[in-house]
Amino acid sequence: MSQSLPSAEPSAPAPRRKRSGKYLNPLQQHTWMLHLMVLPAVILTFIFAYLPMSGILMAFQNYKPKRGVFGSEWVGLEHFRYMLQNDYFIQIVGNTLFFACIKIVLNLAVPFIFALLLNEVRKSLIKRSVQTMVYLPHFLSWVVLAGILMDMLSQTGIVNQFLVWLLGIKPIFFLGEGNWFRLVIIVSDVWKEFGFSTIVFLAALAGVNPSLYEAAEVDGANRWKQTLYVTIPAMMPILIVVGTLALGGVLNANFDQIFNLYNSLVYDKADIIDTFVYREGLLSGQYSFATAVGLLKSVISLFLIIISYTLAYRFANYRIF
């Protein structure tokens, strides 16, 4: 006599907890632990990023440390008017835009081209070794690199000794002449950052469908045409995203780099907004004026960030949430 097997009926789902008349997904029942993990970071951000914003009031005061923020005299927009009428301030804005714009262009073009060249290397060991060597400088601080550059570029340094031996010219004062100093700033920044920026473009190259190359090869396309008609179009969206997002930092010309390399001989060519704020606020004690300059820069940067994200969404469908 055969014994009937029990029917395999699906088990009923586990009951969900009910709160305020609504059922909760089981995955949402323990999210409080995730919020608890984030809480220390939120508290630190509030203390060090949001509470100091009360100091913005100094931009509209003749701030005196002994009187404090609430006891200092209010002067309205006087510091902003003085700032916009100051010829030297206009000059440092021009220096900032000069450095920032050239760095943005070169820090997009050089990693883009280097990623294309590195993508053509077929031996994995060589490819990884080169990639590792070029992005290591990114992890060195500008304090260390500034000391190295000062030794190398001094009038008795290895660079000038090589130029004198090779070309027979007089030693160049790289860090004491404005135009040479600008060249040093731009080249050293690109050298330090292009290897790390290349990772973004190599990641985009890894996502290209191999069938596109196979189809192009069947159609008779050589390696150059495959790069021109397959690789570059595939990389254009990420190039647009990186380029548009970089617009938000157009008023940032890398304070760490310039502060550690510049000197009073090159102020007219090298002084930027951040170094000017540092000298006026912390060294000269012009707290209100320095705060006004920093506030104006922050407001303009905020609008530039909004514009850059709008452009990234329109042209590359990039969204931050």
Side-chain angles (χ1 to χ4, degrees):
M1 182 176 182
S2 60
Q3 184 178 359
S4 60
L5 297 175
S7 59
E9 296 181 356
S11 58
R16 294 182 295 179
R17 293 168 53 187
K18 188 176 182 181
R19 183 187 299 173
S20 303
K22 295 182 180 180
Y23 287 101
L24 296 177
N25 190 302
L27 296 178
Q28 297 176 346
Q29 295 177 9
H30 304 291
T31 54
W32 64 271
M33 290 186 288
L34 300 177
H35 289 86
L36 189 62
M37 292 174 61
V38 178
L39 184 60
V42 173
I43 294 175
L44 290 175
T45 302
F46 178 76
I47 293 175
F48 292 103
Y50 287 92
L51 285 182
M53 286 186 180
S54 60
I56 292 175
L57 295 175
M58 291 191 296
F60 308 96
Q61 298 175 327
N62 185 15
Y63 176 75
K64 301 295 181 182
K66 64 179 180 181
R67 296 182 180 179
V69 175
F70 299 102
S72 298
E73 178 187 2
W74 289 88
V75 296
L77 300 177
E78 179 180 345
H79 297 299
F80 294 93
R81 284 193 292 266
Y82 173 74
M83 180 198 318
L84 298 177
Q85 294 172 358
N86 191 331
D87 293 336
Y88 187 69
F89 177 76
I90 304 301
Q91 182 178 353
I92 65 173
V93 171
N95 292 340
T96 304
L97 293 175
F98 174 82
F99 284 121
C101 291
I102 293 183
K103 287 181 179 180
I104 288 174
V105 172
L106 292 181
N107 283 326
L108 285 175
V110 175
F112 183 83
I113 296 173
F114 184 77
L116 291 176
L117 296 175
L118 195 60
N119 187 56
E120 296 300 318
V121 178
R122 290 292 172 256
K123 292 186 178 181
S124 178
L125 179 61
I126 297 177
K127 184 176 181 179
R128 292 179 181 178
S129 300
V130 172
Q131 184 178 351
T132 301
M133 287 189 294
V134 297
Y135 79 63
L136 280 179
H138 170 80
F139 300 99
L140 296 177
S141 70
W142 276 113
V143 177
V144 176
L145 287 179
I148 296 173
L149 289 174
M150 286 179 182
D151 288 338
M152 293 180 60
L153 300 176
S154 65
Q155 290 187 302
T156 58
I158 186 173
V159 174
N160 270 314
Q161 289 182 9
F162 179 76
L163 292 176
V164 171
W165 172 77
L166 182 65
L167 303 177
I169 61 177
K170 295 181 179 179
I172 300 173
F173 197 8
F174 286 102
L175 300 179
E177 296 180 8
N179 292 328
W180 283 111
F181 183 85
R182 284 184 167 184
L183 181 63
V184 170
I185 291 295
I186 293 170
V187 172
S188 61
D189 184 81
V190 173
W191 168 77
K192 183 177 184 294
E193 300 297 340
F194 87 94
F196 191 80
S197 301
T198 303
I199 297 175
V200 177
F201 298 110
L202 289 176
L205 286 173
V208 180
N209 191 346
S211 62
L212 296 176
Y213 293 105
E214 295 173 0
E217 189 174 357
V218 170
D219 290 339
N222 55 23
R223 294 299 302 174
W224 166 247
K225 290 187 177 180
Q226 290 178 30
T227 301
L228 189 62
Y229 295 106
V230 177
T231 306
I232 293 180
M235 294 177 64
M236 288 306 295
I238 190 64
L239 181 65
I240 293 174
V241 169
V242 174
T244 53
L245 296 184
L247 292 176
V250 74
L251 292 181
N252 294 320
N254 199 339
F255 169 83
D256 292 340
Q257 178 194 21
I258 295 179
F259 176 74
N260 284 287
L261 286 172
Y262 84 148
N263 54 76
S264 58
L265 297 176
V266 293
Y267 277 172
D268 59 332
K269 297 287 187 178
D271 209 8
I272 60 174
I273 295 176
D274 291 333
T275 55
F276 178 73
V277 169
Y278 168 79
R279 290 201 317 277
E280 290 294 316
L282 296 181
L283 301 184
S284 301
Q286 302 293 327
Y287 303 110
S288 295
F289 179 66
T291 304
V293 175
L295 178 59
L296 180 63
K297 176 196 168 185
S298 299
V299 171
I300 296 176
S301 297
L302 175 62
F303 284 106
L304 291 175
I305 290 173
I306 294 174
I307 294 173
S308 65
Y309 275 100
T310 303
L311 293 175
Y313 173 70
R314 176 171 298 182
F315 293 105
N317 198 26
Y318 174 81
R319 309 180 76 171
I320 59 176
F321 57 86

